[in-house]
């Protein structure tokens, strides 16, 4: 694979991939993380850690978009933007990520 310039469309695509990854982790669906650490499925803390990793990825890419002045917020509901801007993955984020979100589909299955 050749070098990709860091353009707005490229980074927004990566942001959408991170969003799907986080939503799949929220929904306890299979992600790349399961393939990297298959032994963790046997441990109860696995789902919490998997969500934390996906949340960190989402925050990192949103932060890069912000730093580069790319419009990342339109990919999310206003409530989701607020969660991301607060940066803390709280029980509120886990419980209400999809709330008032009827027009946006959950992660692709």
């Amino acid at each position: 694979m050749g070098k990709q310039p860091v353009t707005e469309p490229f980074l927004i695509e990566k942001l959408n991939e991170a969003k799907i990854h986080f939503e799949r982790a929220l929904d306890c669906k299979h992600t790349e993380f399961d393939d990297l650490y298959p032994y963790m499925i046997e441990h109860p803390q696995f789902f919490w850690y998997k969500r934390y990793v996906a949340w960190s990825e989402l925050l990192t890419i949103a932060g890069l978009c912000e730093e580069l002045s790319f419009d990342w917020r339109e990919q999310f509901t206003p409530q989701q933007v607020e969660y991301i801007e607060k940066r803390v993955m709280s029980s509120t984020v886990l419980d209400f990520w999809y709330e008032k979100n009827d027009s946006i589909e959950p992660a692709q299955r």
Side-chain angles (χ1 to χ4, degrees):
M1 181 185 330
K3 290 184 180 180
Q4 285 276 354
V6 180
T7 61
E8 186 168 2
F10 174 79
L11 213 51
I12 295 299
E13 178 184 334
K14 295 300 172 190
L15 179 68
N16 281 318
E17 289 172 8
K19 180 182 179 189
I20 289 170
H21 184 208
F22 177 66
E23 290 177 348
R24 289 185 64 79
L26 275 179
D27 297 339
C28 299
K29 301 287 184 187
H30 185 85
T31 68
E32 286 180 12
F33 191 79
D34 298 292
D35 298 332
L36 292 171
Y37 302 100
Y39 61 89
M40 286 192 70
I41 293 172
E42 302 167 11
H43 301 284
Q45 73 273 21
F46 171 72
F47 289 109
W48 174 254
Y49 188 69
K50 179 177 166 176
R51 289 172 180 160
Y52 173 77
V53 168
W55 179 247
S56 295
E57 177 186 24
L58 183 62
L59 291 181
T60 299
I61 297 173
L64 285 170
C65 289
E66 183 71 23
E67 195 170 328
L68 294 168
S69 300
F70 294 163
D71 189 15
W72 62 271
R73 288 172 181 82
E74 66 185 37
Q75 310 302 314
F76 301 91
T77 67
Q79 189 65 46
Q80 291 170 341
V81 169
E82 186 178 322
Y83 295 148
I84 292 168
E85 288 175 339
K86 286 182 180 175
R87 303 190 58 81
V88 176
M89 186 179 66
S90 65
S91 59
T92 302
V93 173
L94 297 175
D95 292 341
F96 300 108
W97 180 259
Y98 295 118
E99 187 176 341
K100 298 179 185 170
N101 200 6
D102 298 334
S103 64
I104 295 181
E105 292 293 320
Q108 300 294 318
R109 275 128 177 117

